[in-house]
Amino acid sequence: MAVDRRWPVALVRGAVPVALGLLFWVALAGGEQERQQTLKAHPGADAASLSQRRRHNELIMAALREAAETDDNVAQRRVPWRK
């Protein structure tokens, strides 16, 4: 008789954490859409800012690549750099 009573208790103990996890997931998933909309409306997300940031990153990577390939002290060079 005690075995028959343990099954429902075990099922409830197993289902409660699963149900809580599902509720938390649903709550956080709703906030994710709002967060995505907020990021899209961010001032730096327009095409001009992105292309300017991409160009800036390319210049930095070119300077790092040049510094890695030479034995000269590139930090002491005047701006603008010449190859």
Side-chain angles (χ1 to χ4, degrees):
M1 292 292 195
V3 174
D4 295 332
R5 203 168 153 225
R6 283 191 275 175
W7 272 103
V9 172
L11 286 175
V12 168
R13 284 184 179 174
V16 167
V18 172
L20 285 174
L22 183 61
L23 287 174
F24 285 140
W25 181 75
V26 168
L28 292 176
E32 178 68 17
Q33 291 174 351
E34 182 179 329
R35 188 180 72 82
Q36 290 291 334
Q37 293 298 326
T38 304
L39 288 175
K40 285 181 183 177
H42 196 270
D46 59 310
S49 296
L50 290 176
S51 66
Q52 183 180 7
R53 193 175 315 138
R54 189 174 295 119
R55 176 70 178 139
H56 183 260
N57 288 343
E58 288 172 1
L59 290 173
I60 290 175
M61 289 305 295
L64 289 174
R65 211 173 3 260
E66 182 183 356
E69 292 172 354
T70 184
D71 290 333
D72 297 339
N73 187 352
V74 295
Q76 299 298 324
R77 289 187 185 174
R78 294 184 180 269
V79 177
W81 295 344
R82 292 190 179 173
K83 290 186 177 182

